[in-house]
Amino acid sequence: MPNPKRRHSPPRRGKRRSHHALDLPAFSLCPNCGNPKMPHRACPHCGWYRGRQVIEAEE
Ligand SMILES: [Zn+2]
């Protein structure tokens, strides 16, 4: 079985893990109602996209 010859050092392990951080999902504020919404999606709160109502508003 192939096995590592020796253990990697802590700095080397840290350099590998420096790429592992997650970032927050992108969002923007709806220009119609001001609620957070996903970019390039109709607002889930008021149903607006590009300045007009495109889907039924929730509730
Ligand atoms: Zn909205």
Side-chain angles (χ1 to χ4, degrees):
M1 283 280 276
N3 259 329
K5 192 168 187 176
R6 55 181 72 87
R7 196 162 82 99
H8 288 167
S9 69
R12 182 168 169 157
R13 182 192 61 208
K15 275 179 254 182
R16 179 176 66 243
R17 292 180 185 176
S18 74
H19 299 278
H20 289 185
L22 297 171
D23 55 7
L24 294 171
F27 75 97
S28 58
L29 297 180
C30 174
N32 187 51
C33 69
N35 277 30
K37 67 174 219 40
M38 301 274 279
H40 312 293
R41 302 286 189 282
C43 175
H45 185 257
C46 65
W48 276 58
Y49 191 66
R50 291 186 61 170
R52 66 192 184 90
Q53 186 114 33
V54 292
I55 54 168
E56 279 307 307
E58 209 170 290
E59 91 216 274

